[in-house]
Amino acid sequence: MESRDKIGIVGLGLIGGSLALALRGKYEVVAMSRNPETTAYALGCGMINGVAESYADFADCRAVIVCVPIGLVKQTVCELAALLPDVIISDVGSVKGMLCGIKGRIIGGHPMAGTEQSGVRAAKERLLENAYYILTDYNGNADDLEYMKKLVRDVGAKPVIMNAEEHDRLVGKISHVVHIAAYSLADSMLEGDETIVGSGFMDTTRIASSSPEFWNTVCALNRGNIVEDIDELTETLTRVRNDIAAGKDITPFLAEAKEKRDRLVYKKRYMTEYVLYVDVPDCVGSIAGVLNRLTAQGISIENLGVVHAREGAGGALRIELKDERDYLKAKEILG
Ligand code: NAP
């Protein structure tokens, strides 16, 4: 049998576990985690091929991918790079500037995929599928970058090369400040408002259910960019606030923002963004009817949920499609 490259993973949680599952079969995967129960579980369910007891056990790996909590990434990468100079050291940390200046075969990584869950049991084989996966070459290791590009493609993700500064500026805008906005909205909720809270509030604040410790660390690591982005958002909010207070027509602002958002749905490459909401009446067979119309046309449904927006008056069916093709086809069928 052709021998497979060996890949090490440090930190077998949501991302580390999902990477291990996606690498399974194509690479030999050895992992270490903080809790011995984690690796025992992963070994037991075939998520990994072996357990590493210490960093030295990664010496015959082509690459080691650091998937520990963000606050521990830099230290772990430093230790691995110093101990294993012949191995590519990569990570999945959400901030990339923190690895600048570390010597060695460092290829930073950041898969733009995730959920609010954590731990090895939340890992999903297809979590990274179709997701952009940013790669950062810190020290001009072109061959190592090529190797990581191939590995990223092998897990079904799309490699995008970016330097650390570009990355941190971009994710500050599209992710970090978005989380701060969601937390702020959730925090503005008044006691007693919960009874009438609707899907709009829930959808917009969904990401405020993410780990506070994680986001606190991200804010510390990408402080400059996040502060700038919060200033920009504050400016926009102040402008809209003043227009509303002055009784001005804000339709042009809303229309422009809507157009930008609508365009995103089509451009989006994450599979979880191919979501349709369909109103369903509160009667027997209404959900089955919608599903039958889709499956009859060969459309595969990734995920399904009912959003109870209006008590006793039916709800919306949340349908997650596999890709853009199925999304557009389903949209056409359901009108
Ligand atoms: P997670 O589910 O909490 O997984 C982290 C795992 O690291 C834990 O399961 C823990 O293992 C292990 N760990 C903790 N301390 C360790 C140590 N000292 N040595 C070895 N293993 C240790 O978190 P995650 O969401 O996968 O995040 C991991 C990394 O992915 C972070 O750096 C984050 O920036 C990045 N990331 C996250 C997302 C996301 O949406 N979640 C998206 C992109 C990138 P045990 O269970 O054994 O204690």
Side-chain angles (χ1 to χ4, degrees):
M1 200 177 87
E2 197 190 325
S3 78
R4 295 171 299 176
D5 282 0
K6 195 168 172 182
I7 302 296
I9 292 180
V10 183
L12 216 47
L14 171 73
I15 302 293
S18 300
L19 259 175
L21 286 171
L23 290 167
R24 189 162 61 171
K26 302 176 200 118
Y27 296 81
E28 188 184 341
V29 181
V30 286
M32 75 185 282
S33 207
R34 176 181 49 182
N35 187 343
E37 276 172 28
T38 307
T39 37
Y41 165 83
L43 201 57
C45 69
M47 183 186 274
I48 56 175
N49 303 100
V51 176
E53 301 298 338
S54 72
Y55 291 165
D57 291 344
F58 293 127
D60 57 345
C61 286
R62 285 296 303 266
V64 177
I65 308 175
V66 174
C67 305
V68 296
I70 183 88
L72 299 172
V73 171
K74 185 178 175 183
Q75 183 197 335
T76 312
V77 168
C78 282
E79 286 169 10
L80 283 162
L83 191 73
L84 307 169
D86 297 330
V87 179
I88 301 170
I89 309 296
S90 191
D91 78 314
V92 292
S94 309
V95 179
K96 299 272 59 88
M98 62 181 174
L99 300 185
C100 288
I102 305 175
K103 303 255 177 307
R105 298 175 65 179
I106 320 282
I107 303 292
H110 179 199
M112 305 290 285
T115 73
E116 295 81 65
Q117 296 163 314
S118 61
V120 71
R121 286 178 168 76
K124 289 182 181 64
E125 188 172 347
R126 296 177 66 184
L127 186 75
L128 307 172
E129 198 174 85
N130 289 329
Y132 286 125
Y133 193 126
I134 313 248
L135 290 173
T136 304
D137 178 7
Y138 293 91
N139 299 322
N141 293 309
D143 291 347
D144 296 344
L145 181 64
E146 281 311 309
Y147 187 82
M148 287 306 296
K149 273 163 74 176
K150 181 183 175 313
L151 184 142
V152 164
R153 286 197 196 95
D154 284 344
V155 298
K158 300 174 183 182
V160 176
I161 315 305
M162 238 180 236
N163 68 40
E165 198 184 321
E166 260 179 292
H167 169 274
D168 290 356
R169 196 167 356 97
L170 183 70
V171 293
K173 205 169 274 306
I174 63 166
S175 169
H176 301 175
V177 78
V178 180
H179 280 78
I180 298 306
Y183 278 109
S184 305
L185 269 177
D187 188 52
S188 72
M189 178 100 185
L190 295 173
E191 287 289 319
D193 284 355
E194 300 91 339
T195 44
I196 55 156
V197 82
S199 59
F201 190 88
M202 293 305 282
D203 284 355
T204 314
T205 57
R206 178 181 58 83
I207 52 179
S209 287
S210 317
S211 156
E213 293 74 22
F214 171 79
W215 283 104
N216 179 50
T217 312
V218 168
C219 286
L221 291 170
N222 198 19
R223 185 168 41 191
N225 287 308
I226 295 176
V227 167
E228 240 175 63
D229 294 333
I230 292 176
D231 286 347
E232 268 179 36
L233 181 62
T234 309
E235 240 176 70
T236 306
L237 284 172
T238 306
R239 205 178 55 241
V240 183
R241 180 239 170 251
N242 290 344
D243 285 353
I244 294 171
K248 283 194 187 164
D249 176 11
I250 62 158
T251 317
F253 160 74
L254 298 176
E256 197 182 322
K258 172 181 163 20
E259 200 193 313
K260 284 182 181 169
R261 169 66 179 123
D262 288 351
R263 252 185 285 139
L264 273 184
V265 176
Y266 292 96
K267 277 199 193 159
K268 204 85 179 107
R269 274 88 168 182
Y270 296 94
M271 67 176 186
T272 50
E273 268 295 305
Y274 298 112
V275 172
L276 276 179
Y277 288 90
V278 185
D279 276 330
V280 282
D282 204 4
C283 62
V284 176
S286 60
I287 293 178
V290 171
L291 300 185
N292 287 342
R293 285 166 68 194
L294 296 181
T295 48
Q297 297 296 317
I299 293 174
S300 64
I301 295 164
E302 288 282 324
N303 226 325
L304 196 64
V306 179
V307 184
H308 290 288
R310 295 150 300 164
E311 207 52 41
L317 197 58
R318 185 183 186 282
I319 307 173
E320 217 172 282
L321 289 319
K322 183 171 81 245
D323 53 24
E324 187 168 354
R325 193 194 70 93
D326 277 8
Y327 170 83
L328 293 173
K329 210 166 155 192
K331 205 168 176 216
E332 195 186 314
I333 293 166
L334 300 174

